[in-house]
Amino acid sequence: MTDLTSLTLAAARKGLADKTFTSLELTDAHLSAIEAARVLNAFVMETPDQARSMAREADARIARGDAGPLAGIPLGIKDLFATKGVRTTACSKILDNFVPTYESTVTSQLWRDGAVLLGKLNNDEFAMGSSNETSCFGPVGNPWRRDGSNATLVPGGSSGGSASAVAALLCMGATATDTGGSIRQPAAFTATVGIKPTYGRCSRWGIVAFASSLDQAGPIARSVRDAAMLLRSMAGHDPKDTTSVDIPVPDYEAAIGKSVKGMKIGIPREYRLDGMPAEIEKLWSAGADWLRSAGAELVEVSLPHTKYALPAYYIVAPAEASSNLARYDGVRYGLREQGRNIIELYENTRAEGFGAEVKRRVMIGTYVLSAGYYDAYYLRAQKVRTLIKKDFEDCFTKGVDAILTPATPSAAFGIGEKGGADPVEMYLNDIFTVTVNMAGLPGIAVPAGKDAQGLPLGLQLIGRPFDEETLFSLGEVIEQAAGRFRPARWW
Ligand code: GLN
């Protein structure tokens, strides 16, 4: 039998339906792969018993002929999603051994459709970071290495475990979340496909909140089709999240292979940064050429407020984070560090439980929300956010169907290489992705090529609200032209 872990999700679905193999065999193959790849530190919790029992249940459903669309497909779940009876920590010491008594809406929809839980995936603490180095469980290794080098690189973040596990063939797909780029940047660093859907497309209920007006769940997968299959199960209206939108979920897979002839693709002038590596420029033009050859029309567009997006994001996101993280007080859940009185208990718990990056965000957020600074920072950032959104709306009203940009300003970097002295160095990773969260739009990252050192690079497509289908159609054109990339196994 071919190696079951190297199948795409679509191929595995067929193999299961044809009874070429069972979900239990598929699941066991992945559990062995996870065991053999512990050096990557992608999983923070393995759930083999639960995986096998879910696989048996899926096999029974397949045999009965009532299999859901993801029946028997083994997945990894970012540790930001609450999983009933399975420890959920957001990779923060402050949640300690928290075991939720409830399941997030997104994951419950995956189980409803027959998917199998392999375990929980590493991420930056509370999803704050771009390299997975802020996790209390330690960094994750990228399965990709530079040609001729043994240095371990970061898989990006915050969904580093998800991207690494999917790229290393440890799971067939993974859930992830994206507040400023955390699905798309790690996807670009690992040659996987990641889509952040429109704000409101997936329920946020049961996902540990970072910045509630920006957070969205989405999948990381090994192909555009696989991402479409996963998103269909993850998306949908949920009365428990008032920001989730009540519009039907289309069959995203049907968008794959649809003609993109006549579509208008915008190339934003402002994304051409000074000092951007020539390789990224080259990749971007190649992407434009591929879309043009498929019949799309390429037009230059302007998003004039782009340069304010990162500074505005680093006000809005910490502001919301400081408010969301107020609940971790040592009383309600997780870690408790005693004190002489309740105030001291709060202080001791938060001092001990939060890592340095989270503390930095809480302090920034509290500062920009405080009386006297609120108007100057928070209110101003909200106004800038409206202008950023309007830039995109102006493009779309002029008939642009989607916007093509690089996904990241560089390829993956080494562990410990960035942000040590200056956190802004790390924040700059999200320069092409945060605008999309600020505007609430869908964005997909698709592998598009490699740099001179053999590391993968991705392109990003940004779409109209709730038009993920166009992103899948265009993304697949890029995938077909660029081919698929897989890391050489060293772990
Ligand atoms: N890297 C960004 C941050 O640290 C975005 C993280 C995310 O999307 N969760 O805030």
Side-chain angles (χ1 to χ4, degrees):
M1 208 181 307
T2 53
D3 179 10
L4 294 179
T5 60
S6 64
L7 299 173
T8 62
L9 211 149
R13 175 179 57 183
K14 187 166 182 305
L16 288 166
D18 296 349
K19 312 228 164 41
T20 314
F21 46 82
T22 64
S23 172
L24 191 58
E25 288 166 335
L26 189 64
T27 300
D28 274 331
H30 284 90
L31 290 170
S32 308
I34 293 169
E35 244 187 86
R38 290 205 179 117
V39 63
L40 293 175
N41 203 25
F43 279 83
V44 296
M45 169 72 106
E46 298 168 19
T47 55
D49 295 342
Q50 187 158 344
R52 291 195 184 100
S53 96
M54 288 172 95
R56 281 193 197 97
E57 167 68 26
D59 283 330
R61 275 179 69 178
I62 295 169
R64 283 201 306 270
D66 75 346
L70 293 175
I73 301 291
L75 301 178
I77 301 298
K78 185 176 182 177
D79 207 27
L80 221 61
F81 291 77
T83 39
K84 190 175 173 182
V86 177
R87 190 192 69 185
T88 301
T89 67
C91 297
S92 178
K93 243 170 96 180
I94 210 157
L95 273 155
D96 202 17
N97 279 318
F98 174 59
V99 178
T101 52
Y102 47 87
E103 186 77 29
S104 85
T105 299
V106 162
T107 48
S108 70
Q109 290 174 182
L110 292 169
W111 316 143
R112 171 202 67 197
D113 288 349
V116 169
L117 169 69
L118 290 169
K120 303 298 291 287
L121 294 162
N122 209 336
N123 51 253
D124 277 299
E125 184 178 5
F126 285 107
M128 297 174 191
S130 305
S131 62
N132 214 119
E133 292 169 290
T134 72
S135 164
C136 74
F137 296 104
V140 173
N142 190 331
W144 289 87
R145 284 172 160 181
R146 295 180 182 119
D147 288 341
S149 159
N150 286 339
T152 305
L153 305 180
V154 304
S158 64
S159 314
S162 306
S164 173
V166 171
L169 311 181
L170 311 185
C171 55
M172 310 215 82
T175 63
T177 61
D178 190 313
T179 303
S182 280
I183 292 176
R184 294 158 287 156
Q185 184 254 18
F189 277 14
T190 54
T192 53
V193 176
I195 180 163
K196 180 201 93 72
T198 313
Y199 185 78
R201 185 67 286 191
C202 290
S203 169
R204 290 179 297 107
W205 195 83
I207 301 174
V208 176
F210 165 8
S212 305
S213 76
L214 301 160
D215 299 344
Q216 258 302 288
I220 291 183
R222 282 199 292 274
S223 75
V224 175
R225 181 181 294 274
D226 290 3
M229 287 171 63
L230 290 170
L231 183 61
R232 191 182 184 190
S233 288
M234 293 168 74
H237 178 239
D238 176 11
K240 290 193 288 223
D241 172 5
T242 51
T243 63
S244 97
V245 174
D246 192 4
I247 52 174
V249 180
D251 176 4
Y252 293 122
E253 232 188 312
I256 310 255
K258 229 167 152 180
S259 168
V260 302
K261 219 174 172 145
M263 277 191 192
K264 222 172 171 181
I265 311 299
I267 303 287
R269 196 179 300 145
E270 293 78 8
Y271 282 54
R272 198 153 276 131
L273 304 177
D274 286 342
M276 190 158 81
E279 292 165 320
I280 305 250
E281 277 273 1
K282 225 176 90 196
L283 183 85
W284 196 6
S285 334
D289 290 342
W290 294 329
L291 296 178
R292 198 179 292 113
S293 312
E297 182 195 345
L298 277 292
V299 292
E300 192 175 83
V301 297
S302 174
L303 300 167
H305 296 91
T306 299
K307 58 176 175 295
Y308 305 117
L310 207 60
Y313 170 86
Y314 275 98
I315 290 173
V316 173
E320 294 183 17
S322 71
S323 160
N324 273 326
L325 269 53
R327 74 191 69 176
Y328 304 105
D329 56 5
V331 176
R332 279 171 279 198
Y333 21 44
L335 183 79
R336 176 175 304 164
E337 289 292 327
Q338 295 295 348
R340 277 166 307 178
N341 53 46
I342 187 78
I343 300 292
E344 223 182 75
L345 180 144
Y346 293 158
E347 287 172 354
N348 291 347
T349 301
R350 290 168 69 86
E352 181 60 28
F354 288 143
E357 184 60 29
V358 173
K359 285 179 184 160
R360 179 182 294 131
R361 308 274 180 123
V362 169
M363 285 189 279
I364 295 172
T366 310
Y367 181 83
V368 300
L369 289 176
S370 58
Y373 294 108
Y374 184 90
D375 290 2
Y377 292 106
Y378 186 68
L379 210 61
R380 218 159 212 220
Q382 291 290 32
K383 288 179 181 168
V384 171
R385 183 174 184 178
T386 305
L387 294 171
I388 291 166
K389 189 159 181 275
K390 198 177 159 292
D391 284 352
F392 284 104
E393 282 164 5
D394 289 347
C395 279
F396 294 134
T397 37
K398 282 185 199 132
V400 168
D401 294 288
I403 292 166
L404 179 73
T405 79
T408 56
S410 76
F413 44 89
I415 290 180
E417 230 170 60
K418 262 192 191 177
D422 178 8
V424 175
E425 199 188 8
M426 189 65 82
Y427 298 170
L428 283 168
N429 260 284
D430 303 317
I431 194 121
F432 300 132
T433 48
V434 285
T435 49
V436 179
N437 301 74
M438 292 294 263
L441 300 172
I444 192 169
V446 182
K450 287 190 197 166
D451 73 359
Q453 296 179 300
L455 294 179
L457 296 168
L459 286 171
Q460 171 179 237
L461 287 152
I462 306 166
R464 297 167 183 266
F466 297 99
D467 190 13
E468 285 80 7
E469 288 162 288
T470 294
L471 299 186
F472 286 125
S473 301
L474 291 165
E476 204 244 359
V477 170
I478 291 180
E479 182 177 69
Q480 290 293 325
R484 293 209 191 121
F485 314 95
R486 201 172 279 175
R489 194 175 154 163
W490 55 266
W491 55 91

